[in-house]
Amino acid sequence: DGQQLWKVQAEEIGKRELKNVLVHNDELFLAARSGQLKVVDKKTGKVLWATEETLVVSQSPMVKTSQGVLLLFRDGTLRLFGQ
């Protein structure tokens, strides 16, 4: 019906440029250019967990695996973040 159910303020994600978004089941995975990764409950908008990396995220999309989320960084490293 187009009704807004929730919103996440930039301060909750980090005031950085959002680089990648991945939707998996009831979770939104948000990766910022700076390397910050946050997982948000898509029903409530609550941040479930977050990590902070110091490398810049590449343009490549995130990939969800049974073990976690794969994220490629500009220095060529591929990192797996578990849940």
Side-chain angles (χ1 to χ4, degrees):
D1 64 3
Q3 179 182 1
Q4 179 177 303
L5 301 177
W6 55 264
K7 66 180 179 179
V8 176
Q9 297 288 35
E11 292 81 19
E12 295 175 56
I13 296 172
K15 290 184 178 181
R16 300 170 176 101
E17 182 181 339
L18 188 61
K19 193 76 168 174
N20 290 311
V21 176
L22 172 70
V23 179
H24 183 265
N25 295 332
D26 290 333
E27 299 172 328
L28 301 174
F29 295 80
L30 310 170
R33 178 182 298 275
S34 66
Q36 183 184 48
L37 177 64
K38 287 204 176 188
V39 180
V40 176
D41 183 301
K42 77 176 187 182
K43 291 181 181 177
T44 65
K46 178 183 174 189
V47 176
L48 301 174
W49 60 268
T51 187
E52 189 76 35
E53 292 296 315
T54 57
L55 300 171
V56 177
V57 174
S58 77
Q59 290 285 67
S60 299
M62 289 183 279
V63 176
K64 177 70 176 93
T65 72
S66 60
Q67 294 178 323
V69 178
L70 285 169
L71 192 55
L72 180 64
F73 289 82
R74 276 204 178 153
D75 72 345
T77 59
L78 183 62
R79 296 181 184 205
L80 176 66
F81 296 91
Q83 288 185 243

